[in-house]
Amino acid sequence: MSEPGDAAVSSGSGDGRVVVDLRGIRKEFPGVVACDGANLTVRAGTIHALLGENGAGKTSLVNVLSGVYLPDDGEIWVHGRQRQFHSPADAIAAGIGMVHQEFRLVPTLTVFENVVLGSAPRYLDMGQIIERVAHLAATYSLQTDPARPVWQLSVGERQRVEILKALWRDADVLVLDEPTAVLTPAEAADLGLTLRSMADRGRSVIYISHKLDEVLSVCDEATVLRNGVTVAQPRSLAGIDRSDLAEMMVGETATEIQRPTDQPSGDVVLDLEGISALSDRGLPALHSVDIDVRAGEIVGVAGVSGNGQRELAEAIAGLRPTTAGTMQLAEVDITGTSPRARSRAGLAYVPEDRLGVGLAPTMSVVDNAVVRSYRSMRRRMMLDLRRCEDFCKRLVERFGVQVGRLHEPISALSGGNLQRLLLGRELTGEPKVLVAAQPTRGLDVAGIAAIQSQIVAQRAAGVGVLLISEDLDELLALSDRLIVMYEGQVAARMDPTQVSRADVGAAMAGTASA
Amino acid sequence: MTEPTHAPLHTVARGRARWHRVLVRPVLQRRARVAPAAQAIAFVIGIVLALIAGALLLWGSGNDPVTVYQRMAESSLGGFDALSRTLLRATPLAIAGLAVAVAGSMGLWNIGAEGQMMAGATAAAGFAMVAGDLPGPVLIVLMLVAGAVGGVVLVLGPALARAYLGVSEIITTLMLVEVAIRIVEWLKVGPWKDPESFGFAQISPLPDKASLPGLFGQVHIGVLFAVALLLAFWLAVSRTAWGYELRMAGSSPATARYAGISLQRKVLTALLLSGGLAGLAGAIELSGTATRLEPGLSSGYGFAGIIVAALALMRPSGVAVVAVVFGAVLRGGQSIQTLGVTSSIATILQAMILIGALVAAVLLNYRVRWVRPVGSGADGDAAENPASAGASGV
């Protein structure tokens, strides 16, 4: 339902003028297509939610709009004129203001200095500039003291300075990337008021968030992205509830997945008891999570991203310290042990970031293939390169990885082949437990099928699998048991054969019924 | 409700962006990967372009470029003796370059190799004073060991701070350069002052037996150490589990952590090794070319090592090549001063050649794309697809 954005063809209502219209944006990175024909239509005077799971292409799309990336294909229309942004400066000049997740402020400078940095009027004295900044802040109820140095400010205040910066540059479209992730509830409420007052004055806001409640209370319209494609553009959020949004985000995948045949499960091979952990920002992200996985079963973990799934996977892998609880792997206590010790104890781990965590992008295919086994490839002090190469060749053959040259940087491979290699590498050690985080995200149909059949094969071989995914169909089809995470806790435990997508959606949105 | 107005700012900002929409303009794009052969070619092209620009400089300053370049080439590469003078300079450059490259392969910048060279030379000289009774070969070997230890000692603080506290090694190592040089100055006028030099403050000369034996021409056996160290490092990085971990930690820290490699330990070893190598370079320079320890002993070789390592893309093979080229440029730059080229012009010429090589090495990572403005053509289709034209060889 792409609406042409020309001023002439704007929609019926008076202030429904289209300010930003992104049409068929495509942006490809090595190994992954971030946006593949994404559309975004933003009207004047509205707060527009941009929704989608991690990796759905939200950030890439707004980076195209704000001049950070040049799109490979597609059109950018702003105020009815087609634009091409070669740098953020071009986008700022066109009235697009961006507030990034990581603030870009100079801590030693004052608030007003940061606001006017790079675009200070030449013929005004400091007093007048401060006055103007203060006036601008007051207009949009952005409480700040223009004369204070930024290093003294709280995170919420710093965000206000970022917004002021955009307003000072006369942005009539403000893009906020997960603005409330760093805010206290009170600050988040203030931010909502500020954004509303901007919309009331005819400006537009593009609001990226995972928090569905917030989106419903703050935003007027929404665009939902999935796998880089726009899948829904509700013109009004009235009458839409959280589970509707959650369902739009996870969507239905076209792949036909065969439910694995029933089989009796064995002993508990992974046992988490009361596991708690902190997020990267040091806030509690997991609250006493209990999960057990038996040999020969797949336990699915569902949830809107940002509800503790990443932290859960990292805590099990030993990459994130736990603050409470115990962990057992095949009856060996692995609480607090190193990643290497857990790998040796029989843990295979496919991380969410396959390139960058699971695989080293600039190193060769061979180097990446032996990440788990290079220590056993030593001959005296030297690494036996012949054996490494043989190992890599066998891996490539067994898991059907399509590679060019083995000594080429691995980033040359496609997403599906990267994942085949990564999963294959993790499985060669004959693991007892496989933790796979978003193993099929962003893959093409063939890649998804290959990875899923590997996971099912592991189950048949008696491996206990913890499958963390945002693809509901995948979870419902593959899991023997389903766990739903909400705000760092296990919100629901379900039998995937007995529940509907809507049930899971409700649990993901925190309105648990089961 | 009045909106704050700042119209002038507004128009300036929009005006600045206007030419983007009018002109077909080149855009630099990062290449996915660079062929190794292209690196060598770019290096040569960069130097040739710099030589052409340098010819204009020489011609403008009243010199004959042909004669000057002839002399440069002859004095640095023409014959046995010339080559030995080039290698004499290439030796400390190679070891210091390797020192920087060891840290660089982990993504660390040991900017203070100069200081560690001084610390190494100081430790070696101190050892020679204390243990002057030892027979020559034993003394020399132990001096070199002392030199490496001296370098390690100077880099120990920055390395620990970087590994465990995350303090930038760039600043700490750089600041310690001054400290190392001032310590030598203090030794010169204080405890190590030569009692036989009367009023003139200088450090006592080293005994003759503490000098590295010559090899041929001007070269001492230090050049063999340099070759051996480069080979050893190349082997260690590409053929050992230790080197594998180092490469992994340097290129993708998150993957290294995932693989169970301790990043802190790798940072520590890379910086300590870097400091040790720089200290060794200082000791070799002292024992090979100097008669006594002086504050100016390392004469910028440590800083030049940064350029060598950067040009070599942190690779040992590259360090060897770049160090020899750099040595030849240094030697050539000195010799043309006998033709009447002033030392400032000679220095500018040297700098131009190095900048030419450096720029070529950086530009190699990009290719040029010509981007047409939006809406200029009759068909919008051509406007949106940037035409790629003429990827330059450099």
Side-chain angles (χ1 to χ4, degrees):
Chain A
M1 53 174 288
S2 76
E3 280 259 344
D6 305 41
V9 202
S10 72
S11 61
S13 73
D15 60 348
R17 195 167 46 86
V18 171
V19 182
V20 167
D21 194 16
L22 300 179
R23 301 179 191 168
I25 298 295
R26 182 182 164 83
K27 179 69 194 172
E28 194 175 342
F29 296 101
V32 60
V33 180
C35 293
D36 192 8
N39 301 320
L40 175 65
T41 308
V42 179
R43 271 163 261 276
T46 62
I47 303 178
H48 194 105
L50 186 55
L51 290 166
E53 294 289 8
N54 274 337
K58 306 181 298 284
T59 303
S60 299
L61 188 61
V62 293
N63 275 333
V64 164
L65 176 62
S66 59
V68 177
Y69 299 149
L70 202 62
D72 298 330
D73 201 4
E75 296 173 3
I76 303 170
W77 293 75
V78 179
H79 288 300
R81 281 177 59 194
Q82 190 178 355
R83 304 284 191 144
Q84 200 175 41
F85 297 146
H86 294 288
S87 71
D90 288 0
I92 290 167
I96 312 284
M98 177 93 189
V99 176
H100 293 273
Q101 265 175 302
E102 312 293 327
F103 300 146
R104 289 153 196 214
L105 298 172
V106 186
T108 48
L109 295 185
T110 62
V111 169
F112 88 88
E113 284 167 338
N114 267 286
V115 168
V116 304
L117 192 67
S119 64
R122 262 161 241 177
Y123 311 110
L124 286 178
D125 65 34
M126 297 263 257
Q128 281 174 297
I129 295 179
I130 293 180
E131 215 168 277
R132 275 200 192 179
V133 171
H135 178 77
L136 192 62
T139 311
Y140 293 99
S141 48
L142 289 158
Q143 288 169 9
T144 46
D145 176 356
R148 267 178 76 185
V150 161
W151 62 265
Q152 293 181 348
L153 304 184
S154 73
V155 176
E157 288 172 299
R158 287 179 199 214
Q159 187 179 60
R160 278 175 237 150
V161 180
E162 283 282 3
I163 296 174
L164 269 178
K165 258 168 74 177
L167 291 173
W168 179 262
R169 284 158 184 76
D170 212 16
D172 39 35
V173 179
L174 187 70
V175 185
L176 296 132
D177 193 356
E178 299 197 33
T180 57
V182 293
L183 300 184
T184 64
E187 285 174 327
D190 286 346
L191 175 68
L193 294 179
T194 295
L195 298 183
R196 181 50 63 196
S197 77
M198 289 175 58
D200 289 345
R201 285 178 176 75
R203 296 178 196 249
S204 311
V205 177
I206 298 174
Y207 190 95
I208 301 180
S209 180
H210 286 307
K211 298 183 184 170
L212 303 179
D213 274 329
E214 211 175 84
V215 165
L216 287 172
S217 69
V218 173
C219 302
D220 306 309
E221 303 184 353
T223 292
V224 183
L225 292 181
R226 199 190 310 145
N227 293 332
V229 185
T230 301
V231 292
Q233 293 178 300
R235 279 289 296 270
S236 160
L237 292 178
I240 288 183
D241 65 17
R242 283 187 298 183
S243 39
D244 294 334
L245 286 180
E247 247 190 280
M248 286 181 206
M249 283 161 67
V250 290
E252 295 180 52
T253 42
T255 47
E256 276 302 313
I257 311 164
Q258 288 296 315
R259 220 193 136 67
T261 50
D262 283 342
Q263 65 179 35
S265 50
D267 302 331
V268 173
V269 283
L270 180 67
D271 191 9
L272 311 187
E273 269 176 47
I275 291 295
S276 300
L278 302 179
S279 71
D280 291 340
R281 296 201 173 91
L283 303 171
L286 286 179
H287 309 276
S288 63
V289 170
D290 300 319
I291 295 177
D292 62 299
V293 180
R294 291 172 176 278
E297 73 167 353
I298 298 175
V299 174
V301 177
V304 175
S305 59
N307 277 291
Q309 300 97 310
R310 170 187 283 268
E311 287 81 3
L312 175 67
E314 290 177 354
I316 298 173
L319 294 172
R320 181 177 295 276
T322 51
T323 50
T326 58
M327 234 181 260
Q328 287 201 327
L329 199 150
E331 292 178 355
V332 178
D333 188 7
I334 56 163
T335 319
T337 57
S338 70
R340 189 178 278 158
R342 294 178 198 214
S343 163
R344 233 182 269 134
L347 176 71
Y349 174 45
V350 175
E352 196 174 327
D353 301 313
R354 54 191 81 118
L355 205 56
V357 177
L359 302 165
T362 55
M363 291 180 77
S364 73
V365 180
V366 175
D367 283 339
N368 273 292
V370 297
V371 160
R372 291 292 188 200
S373 51
Y374 70 93
R375 298 187 132 236
S376 65
M377 308 264 181
R378 283 178 297 186
R379 204 173 47 194
R380 295 222 195 98
M381 277 173 61
M382 308 306 269
L383 206 56
D384 190 336
L385 294 188
R386 172 80 41 85
R387 265 179 70 195
C388 291
E389 216 165 284
D390 287 346
F391 176 84
C392 179
K393 275 182 191 152
R394 266 181 280 132
L395 193 63
V396 162
E397 248 163 61
R398 186 174 151 206
F399 291 92
V401 188
Q402 284 162 14
V403 288
R405 277 174 304 169
L406 293 183
H407 291 284
E408 220 168 36
I410 198 155
S411 54
L413 301 194
S414 75
N417 284 312
L418 289 175
Q419 193 69 318
R420 282 189 184 99
L421 186 88
L422 173 53
L423 183 62
R425 182 187 79 201
E426 292 301 306
L427 295 180
T428 37
E430 313 249 307
K432 300 189 179 79
V433 173
L434 166 66
V435 174
Q438 321 297 350
T440 59
R441 180 159 74 200
L443 303 188
D444 57 14
V445 178
I448 292 172
I451 298 300
Q452 285 175 342
S453 68
Q454 269 306 331
I455 290 172
V456 171
Q458 291 303 310
R459 171 184 180 270
V463 173
V465 181
L466 189 70
L467 174 62
I468 301 171
S469 178
E470 281 159 10
D471 184 337
L472 259 193
D473 292 306
E474 175 174 278
L475 287 173
L476 287 172
L478 295 183
S479 309
D480 296 297
R481 288 187 287 138
L482 188 61
I483 285 170
V484 182
M485 302 271 300
Y486 181 69
E487 294 194 337
Q489 283 171 319
V490 176
R493 295 171 198 273
M494 296 170 158
D495 179 349
T497 58
Q498 304 296 317
V499 293
S500 67
R501 297 172 49 84
D503 295 337
V504 182
M508 284 167 67
T511 52
S513 54
Chain B
M1 231 3 119
T2 51
E3 290 274 298
T5 51
H6 27 85
L9 150 77
H10 208 125
T11 29
V12 167
R14 294 200 179 189
R16 191 168 45 207
R18 190 163 297 140
W19 67 278
H20 288 164
R21 294 189 278 277
V22 183
L23 295 173
V24 175
R25 63 194 194 101
V27 172
L28 285 183
Q29 276 204 325
R30 251 198 120 77
R31 281 176 207 266
R33 55 185 226 101
V34 176
Q39 274 158 7
I41 295 170
F43 195 62
V44 171
I45 291 177
I47 290 177
V48 168
L49 289 178
L51 287 176
I52 294 170
L56 291 175
L57 172 81
L58 288 168
W59 180 70
S61 61
N63 298 290
D64 176 23
V66 177
T67 328
V68 170
Y69 284 156
Q70 221 165 20
R71 168 64 67 87
M72 270 185 104
E74 267 170 22
S75 65
S76 59
L77 303 169
F80 225 53
D81 182 64
L83 205 60
S84 79
R85 288 171 194 274
T86 291
L87 288 180
L88 181 69
R89 289 162 179 81
T91 301
L93 284 171
I95 305 178
L98 178 63
V100 177
V102 168
S105 63
M106 267 288 295
L108 301 165
W109 285 101
N110 180 9
I111 300 293
E114 179 88 4
Q116 293 138 26
M117 278 184 74
M118 286 311 297
T122 309
F127 185 83
M129 284 182 197
V130 179
D133 300 336
L134 291 171
V138 179
L139 179 64
I140 289 176
V141 169
L142 291 178
M143 275 172 71
L144 296 186
V145 171
V149 171
V152 168
V153 167
L154 195 68
V155 87
L156 188 61
L160 287 170
R162 169 65 215 232
Y164 296 101
L165 302 173
V167 177
S168 167
E169 78 286 355
I170 299 176
I171 294 164
T172 49
T173 54
L174 180 61
M175 290 195 300
L176 286 178
V177 174
E178 278 304 303
V179 173
I181 293 174
R182 299 293 166 233
I183 286 176
V184 176
E185 277 176 358
W186 169 70
L187 290 172
K188 187 172 89 170
V189 296
W192 288 6
K193 188 180 169 200
D194 186 356
E196 287 158 38
S197 71
F198 307 103
F200 189 64
Q202 60 180 11
I203 292 169
S204 317
L206 294 168
D208 284 343
K209 62 181 176 180
S211 293
L212 282 179
L215 197 60
F216 67 88
Q218 302 284 318
V219 188
H220 52 78
I221 61 165
V223 73
L224 299 182
F225 286 119
V227 172
L229 287 170
L230 286 167
L231 266 175
F233 182 66
W234 171 73
L235 265 178
V237 162
S238 61
R239 297 287 143 93
T240 67
W242 176 84
Y244 174 81
E245 292 180 350
L246 191 75
R247 282 185 290 135
M248 182 67 81
S251 72
S252 183
T255 314
R257 239 165 66 74
Y258 169 96
I261 297 165
S262 161
L263 289 180
Q264 294 177 329
R265 278 237 300 273
K266 283 284 162 293
V267 166
L268 205 57
T269 44
L271 277 177
L272 293 185
L273 196 59
S274 176
L277 281 167
L280 185 59
I284 287 176
E285 191 60 9
L286 173 81
S287 161
T289 64
T291 51
R292 54 164 53 88
L293 180 67
E294 289 169 65
L297 178 89
S298 77
S299 61
Y301 284 129
F303 287 126
I306 300 167
I307 303 175
V308 172
L311 274 174
L313 306 175
M314 309 298 168
R315 285 192 206 123
S317 55
V319 167
V321 174
V322 176
V324 171
V325 172
F326 204 144
V329 170
L330 283 182
R331 167 66 195 144
Q334 277 167 1
S335 70
I336 56 174
Q337 292 176 34
T338 60
L339 286 176
V341 179
T342 56
S343 73
S344 51
I345 294 287
T347 308
I348 294 174
L349 195 60
Q350 289 174 0
M352 283 172 73
I353 294 171
L354 292 172
I355 289 172
L358 199 55
V359 168
V362 172
L363 281 184
L364 187 65
N365 290 312
Y366 297 88
R367 63 198 174 91
V368 179
R369 254 179 33 155
W370 292 95
V371 178
R372 268 178 236 144
V374 165
S376 67
D379 48 336
D381 159 62
E384 193 57 35
N385 294 324
S388 61
S392 71
V394 176

